[in-house]
Amino acid sequence: MARPTVADIRALKGQRTLTMLYVETLDEAAAAAEAGIDMLSIIDPLWTPEMREAAGDCFVQVGLLYGQLVTQEDYLRAAHRAMQIGGDCVYCASSLGTIKALADDGIPVVSHVGLIPSKATWTGGFKAVGKTAGSALDVWHHVKQLEEVGAFGAELEVVPDRVATEISRRTPLIMLGMGAGSGADAQYLFTEDVLGCTRGHKPRHAKTYRDFAGEYARLQRERVAAFGEFRADVASGAYPAPEHIVPIDDAEFEGFLAGL
C-alpha cells in the first residue's frame, strides 16, 4: 500500500476510523509502520530523513513546537523544512493567522481544539473541555474558525464523546481524537502509554498493551549484574581469558625482548 496523501485521508472520513500514534524513536516508527498504523505524530526536533524512512508508508504529522517558534516566518521556514524531509502535514497550535499563512502556502495543517496542552490555562488546566453547552459550543466555534483559515484537521482532545461525535460529523476537518470517544475520525495515543512506560501522569483515555516499564526494569537489573560480573572477573583474573588475547610466537617475542 502506498503512503496516503491528504486527499486519501480526507476520502476515508466517515468510511473507517484511522489509527494514530505519537512516536519518538526510529524503532517505534518502524514498529508502527509494520503494524499498519495509519498516521504518526513526530515532533520537529526528532524529524529526520532517517525517521521518514523508518515511518515507511505511515502518513506523518510533524509537530511544530509552540513557544519555540514564534513568528509566522519561523513557522513557515520550519514547516517547509518538515515537508522537504517528507512530512505529510504539520501540526500548529499557533494563531489562526499563522495557520492561515501556512495553509495559504499550500502546507496541510493540523491544529488543536478542546484541551490544548500549551494553552490549558485558558480552559482551567489539564481537564476535560466541553462538559457544558457553552464550553462545547466554544470547541465547535473553534473548529469553524479552523475551517475558515484552511486547516486540514485538528486534534480533538479530552472532550465528551457525544460532543466529539457531533463535531466530527459536521466538519470536513479530519478530527484526530485523543480522549474524545469513538466518534472522531482517528484514535490517537502516545506510544509510551500503549507500551506501558508512561512518564508522569497517565491520562484516563490511555490504554496499555504491554509492560515495557517492567521489561526496562528487568533489563536494568541484568545490566547491573553483567557489569558486576565483569568487574569481578577483572579482579579475579578470569578476564581476559586466553580466547580474548592476541598470541605471538615465542621466537618473535624473544626478538621483541632483545630489541628492547
Side-chain angles (χ1 to χ4, degrees):
M1 176 179 170
R3 192 169 104 216
T5 64
V6 166
D8 295 327
I9 296 294
R10 280 179 162 167
L12 289 171
K13 186 177 176 74
Q15 301 303 307
R16 70 173 177 86
T17 304
L18 301 167
T19 54
M20 184 172 184
L21 289 172
Y22 177 95
V23 303
E24 295 181 301
T25 69
L26 295 173
D27 285 344
E28 289 174 353
E34 186 173 346
I37 297 299
D38 297 298
M39 304 175 72
L40 301 182
S41 179
I42 303 173
I43 61 172
D44 185 27
L46 302 178
W47 182 235
T48 62
E50 293 77 18
M51 192 68 93
R52 174 66 272 177
E53 183 177 2
D57 289 331
C58 295
F59 183 97
V60 175
Q61 166 187 294
V62 182
L64 306 181
L65 295 183
Y66 178 77
Q68 292 189 19
L69 303 173
V70 180
T71 67
Q72 287 187 9
E73 184 173 348
D74 290 341
Y75 277 96
L76 281 165
R77 288 185 182 279
H80 279 289
R81 184 174 63 251
M83 298 298 285
Q84 286 171 351
I85 290 173
D88 299 294
C89 71
V90 299
Y91 165 88
C92 177
S94 188
S95 68
L96 293 169
T98 297
I99 294 167
K100 185 177 188 304
L102 293 171
D104 285 348
D105 221 24
I107 295 171
V109 185
V110 169
S111 192
H112 210 135
V113 298
L115 169 60
I116 307 173
S118 60
K119 301 177 181 178
T121 189
W122 293 100
T123 51
F126 289 84
K127 62 183 184 181
V129 175
K131 295 180 70 173
T132 66
S135 178
L137 285 169
D138 286 342
V139 177
W140 169 242
H141 293 148
H142 192 180
V143 169
K144 298 303 290 181
Q145 289 177 312
L146 293 174
E147 289 179 21
E148 291 171 7
V149 297
F152 155 61
E155 295 184 12
L156 179 59
E157 186 166 351
V158 194
V159 300
D161 60 341
R162 290 189 290 175
V163 171
T165 297
E166 293 303 321
I167 288 175
S168 296
R169 63 191 284 270
R170 284 174 163 81
T171 178
L173 300 187
I174 302 299
M175 303 306 292
L176 310 174
M178 180 177 282
S182 60
D185 299 309
Q187 292 298 318
Y188 178 16
L189 288 176
F190 278 41
T191 53
E192 66 175 37
D193 296 326
V194 171
L195 298 177
C197 50
T198 304
R199 294 164 292 191
H201 172 71
K202 181 180 176 181
R204 177 193 300 184
H205 58 264
K207 183 173 181 179
T208 296
Y209 292 82
R210 291 292 186 274
D211 181 20
F212 270 46
E215 187 66 13
Y216 288 148
R218 183 190 69 79
L219 288 173
Q220 180 66 4
R221 291 192 296 271
E222 289 294 303
R223 187 179 286 117
V224 171
F227 294 170
E229 290 170 19
F230 165 63
R231 179 174 177 271
D233 275 359
V234 171
S236 69
Y239 181 86
E243 64 268 24
H244 303 125
I245 61 176
V246 178
I248 184 172
D249 290 341
D250 290 344
E252 296 298 334
F253 186 63
E254 291 301 326
F256 165 68
L257 290 179
L260 292 176

